[in-house]
Structure formats: structure tokens, C-alpha cells
Amino acid sequence: MVCWRTRDRAFIFVICITPFILDKSLAAIFDVTSYGAVGDGMHDDTKVTQIISIAFKQAWTATCSSKSRNPSMLIPSEKSFLIRPITFQGPCKSSNIHLQLSGSIVAPEDPKEWRGCENVSWIYFTGVFGLFINGSGTINGNGQRWWKIPSGIRVNGTCTKPTAVHFNYCNGLQLSGIKLVNSSRNHISLTYSKGVTISNIHISAPKYSRNTDGIDISNSSQLHIQDSTIQTGDDCIAINTGCVDIHISGISCGPGHGISVGSLGPDNTYAYVDNVYVTNCNLVGTQNGVRIKTWQGGSGYARSIHFEDIHLKNVENPIIIDQNYCNGDHSCQPQESAVKVSYITYKNIHGSTSSKAAINLNCSNSTACTNIDMENINITPVVSGQKVFAICNNAKGKASSTSPPVPCLDKY
């Protein structure tokens, strides 16, 4: 600080000038290689993966405890890091935490090398508010051997088939730019989080990879998932119980099982989903298009769900509501109660199907689907000359300009 005195009539002024000093802590960067992480991606053994995992943990601890305005953990480009299951724990001291993924993170190939996945996750973020993850890097779940192991079977007595990246209580999460490939199970799971944006990501796994959902969400609200490509062996996006105010747009889906609400109400549980918008999406070669699926015996509701401006190409089940859902792992007996499905909108849905049943509204005999609104639907067969039709069971609502016609819905 430089000061001098000056006199103006009867007053004496002290004038001080403080030079501007750049506070480097405002852009604190914590590079995982500075903590001993070797990024050649070649040493798939217990000792090396443990050392790298510890380095990642130390880099995260430094980032999370930093008092700088925008601390950033850096995973540098042109490097590949083999890590074990790891937890990134919050809360952090800064309200904005960055993870710059420029290189690759790779899981061990052999399930027997996995330790510490009690959260049924490989990479687990919990309690981190204001987390920003971006970059052009890749998260590779190396799930090929896991795909052969049935769900629920434990390896080494600890690990069942894990999700690649799980965000839990991560309000304000922003995820963009990265790639996720070949998860052993879900690529991204999101639970108990609010105000999340996921954009411009690419998720891919083979069509035959079982249970490899792209993005699986539950008990979360105010979500935006947009402008991304998802190619998996299961649902591209699955919206489960406790989800409110979900906006999905600009998604390219396929292969996969489509974009699904549910499944809801397994094992006679209460479930709810409210206010979902799925718009401007392309589904190519998927098992399903836009789907709502609930188990018999469940309770609760799925309401105010809107599918608009959807393009289909060679989709097996383009529009489907199934209130009698039962997957192959269960022997389901008829039950009376069902999750209530109501106020469902389908508008401007066009494209082709490989099935004769282009529209299937399979609602519960005890609990009708109500207030279904269909407008400007045109679904044609992939096979020239084949006729397509709609199936209805206990569905009520209105339809306009719908092909094939839906006989159970009144005309406007």
C-alpha cells in the first residue's frame, strides 16, 4: 500500500492506493497427477489401482476443502486412469466445485478386482452442492464381464453389479460434454437431487448389455436433460418414483428400451411421478418409444406427463402404457390395486414401427388410465403394406388426427 499526505485549506487528506493483486486461489486447480496418479491405463492390478484411487481421493479432498471461489479437480487429457470404486463426499467449502474431465477414467476389467462398492456404485458423489463436471473425457465402466453376472449376485462377498456414476444429494449439479461407455449397470443414477442440468453428453453400450440404463433418476426435481445421445441395452432414460418437474429434450435414443416413466410400484409400494415433459426426441431402433410402466399391486400416481414432437424410426412399441408390468425376474400374480395414471398427453408423434401394435394402452382393470389426450399421431409400418393398430384396455380420454385410430378414446 502506498500513501501520501496532501493539504487542502484547513484539511489534511491521506490518499492511499492499493495495487491490484491477482488472487490465484480464485482459480485453484488440483491435478490428480500431482498426487501420484499414474495415467497410462495399463496396470490393471490391485496395488496400482489402489495407489491411483488414493491419489484421486487426495485431489478431491484438496478441492473440496479449498476456500477459493471456483476450485477445480483436473483429470488431464491424453491420460487414462484405472481406479477402484471411489466416493467423493461433500459438503465442500466452496459453493461451486468443478471437476474437469479431459482424460479417461477406467474401471478394472475383472470384477474380482473390485473392492469397496457398498454403495452399489463405481463412482459415487454424495452431498456435493454446486458441482460442475465437464470436459471431453471418457468414463469407461469396463462392464463386459459384469454383463454375464446376474443382478444381485455378489462378487468377493461385497460388490453386486454397480452403477458407473451415482449422484446422491447433489443439488445444482451441471454435467456436460463427457462420454460414458460400457457401464456394468446404469451409466448415471441420480437420487435426491434438485436443480440439475445434464447436456451434450454421449452414453453408449451394446444392445445386448443388460440393465445398462443411460440415465436413471428417482426422488429428484427440477431436472433438465437435453441435447444428448444415448445408446444402451436398456432404458435410455428411466424416470422413477419421487420425480417432479422433469424436462427432457433433444435426446437421440437407440439402441435401447426408449424413454420410460417407471417402473413404478414394485412389491406393493407407493410411487409418484408428476409434471414430466419429453419433447423433440428421436428414437431409432428401440424396443419401446415413449413408455409408462407400473406394477400390479402398487399405489400412488403418475400424472401430468407430456410427450410432444417425437420422431420414431423402426421402433417396436412406439406408444405404450403398461399398468400390468412384470419383468422376467418375477412371477406376477393378478392384483387389484394399481398406480393411477392420468393426464397424459401425446402430441405430434410421427414415424415407423416394426410391430403391428403401434399404440398399446394396457391399463389396469381396477384402475383406469384417465384424461389421455392424443393429437396429431401418425405411425406407419416398416413393412410396406402391413397394417398397424391400437390396443386399448380401460383407457379413457380424447384423440384427434390419430393414425392408427384409437377406438377407446373419444374424438374431439
Side-chain angles (χ1 to χ4, degrees):
M1 179 181 292
V2 179
C3 300
W4 67 89
R5 298 172 62 178
T6 183
R7 180 183 295 274
D8 182 8
R9 295 183 180 179
F11 297 96
I12 296 175
F13 296 93
V14 178
I15 302 173
C16 299
I17 297 177
T18 302
F20 175 75
I21 300 174
L22 177 63
D23 183 357
K24 293 182 179 179
S25 69
L26 294 180
I29 297 175
F30 302 90
D31 189 328
V32 295
T33 60
S34 299
Y35 295 85
V38 179
D40 59 13
M42 297 174 61
H43 300 89
D44 187 5
D45 62 71
T46 299
K47 183 177 180 180
V48 173
T49 55
Q50 184 176 8
I51 291 172
I52 296 173
S53 299
I54 290 172
F56 268 63
K57 192 73 173 179
Q58 291 174 338
W60 172 258
T61 299
T63 307
C64 189
S65 61
S66 173
K67 295 181 180 180
S68 65
R69 188 176 301 171
N70 294 293
S72 180
M73 177 174 164
L74 174 63
I75 300 167
S77 61
E78 300 180 1
K79 291 184 180 294
S80 181
F81 300 92
L82 274 159
I83 66 170
R84 286 181 171 189
I86 188 169
T87 295
F88 296 110
Q89 178 77 51
C92 297
K93 290 189 176 179
S94 176
S95 58
N96 293 310
I97 301 294
H98 293 254
L99 194 157
Q100 178 69 34
L101 178 60
S102 298
S104 296
I105 305 174
V106 184
E109 290 185 9
D110 189 348
K112 294 181 180 178
E113 287 294 324
W114 289 63
R115 300 288 191 280
C117 49
E118 290 82 2
N119 294 313
V120 199
S121 306
W122 171 36
I123 301 171
Y124 185 63
F125 291 88
T126 183
V128 185
F129 292 179
L131 176 62
F132 294 74
I133 300 179
N134 65 340
S136 57
T138 300
I139 296 175
N140 183 349
N142 256 338
Q144 291 87 334
R145 295 190 189 181
W146 283 101
W147 298 336
K148 300 175 182 179
I149 300 173
S151 297
I153 299 299
R154 292 188 178 276
V155 177
N156 295 331
T158 60
C159 294
T160 58
K161 190 180 295 186
T163 291
V165 187
H166 185 174
F167 299 99
N168 181 55
Y169 289 103
C170 288
N171 292 352
L173 169 68
Q174 294 192 37
L175 176 65
S176 66
I178 68 171
K179 302 177 183 67
L180 299 99
V181 300
N182 294 336
S183 175
S184 57
R185 201 167 183 269
N186 302 339
H187 286 78
I188 295 174
S189 287
L190 188 68
T191 55
Y192 299 102
S193 299
K194 182 178 181 180
V196 173
T197 299
I198 299 175
S199 63
N200 296 293
I201 66 170
H202 191 139
I203 296 174
S204 63
K207 183 177 182 179
Y208 58 82
S209 57
R210 190 180 180 192
N211 300 127
T212 55
D213 291 25
I215 303 173
D216 192 287
I217 58 179
S218 62
N219 297 297
S220 298
S221 63
Q222 299 177 20
L223 268 60
H224 293 263
I225 303 173
Q226 58 199 35
D227 304 327
S228 298
T229 298
I230 304 176
Q231 302 163 310
T232 71
D234 211 298
D235 293 330
C236 290
I237 300 174
I239 304 164
N240 296 295
T241 186
C243 288
V244 179
D245 295 334
I246 311 298
H247 298 258
I248 297 168
S249 65
I251 302 300
S252 176
C253 169
H257 293 183
I259 297 174
S260 296
V261 174
S263 57
L264 303 177
D267 301 318
N268 304 98
T269 56
Y270 178 89
Y272 69 93
V273 170
D274 197 358
N275 204 31
V276 174
Y277 291 84
V278 180
T279 62
N280 191 31
C281 293
N282 293 306
L283 296 103
V284 180
T286 53
Q287 184 184 86
N288 306 291
V290 290
R291 174 169 61 159
I292 299 172
K293 49 180 177 174
T294 71
W295 292 77
Q296 293 184 76
S299 60
Y301 59 88
R303 69 187 180 201
S304 189
I305 299 168
H306 311 276
F307 302 103
E308 185 170 346
D309 296 325
I310 308 296
H311 184 263
L312 313 162
K313 183 177 180 180
N314 193 23
V315 172
E316 188 174 344
N317 302 297
I319 295 174
I320 180 169
I321 297 176
D322 186 2
Q323 279 189 297
N324 299 293
Y325 176 75
C326 181
N327 67 25
D329 296 330
H330 295 76
S331 177
C332 301
Q333 302 300 317
Q335 298 187 55
E336 288 298 320
S337 64
V339 176
K340 175 67 176 176
V341 176
S342 62
Y343 296 97
I344 314 298
T345 299
Y346 302 92
K347 186 176 181 181
N348 299 335
I349 299 179
H350 304 270
S352 60
T353 179
S354 56
S355 172
K356 293 182 180 180
I359 299 171
N360 188 352
L361 307 180
N362 180 22
C363 301
S364 168
N365 289 329
S366 62
T367 308
C369 303
T370 59
N371 299 98
I372 296 175
D373 192 342
M374 287 192 174
E375 182 180 355
N376 196 19
I377 310 296
N378 186 23
I379 302 173
T380 59
V382 170
V383 178
S384 179
Q386 179 176 288
K387 291 185 177 181
V388 296
F389 53 85
I391 297 174
C392 281
N393 181 59
N394 208 18
K396 304 179 185 302
K398 294 184 179 297
S400 174
S401 301
T402 300
S403 179
V406 186
C408 59
L409 302 183
D410 298 329
K411 294 181 179 179
Y412 280 97

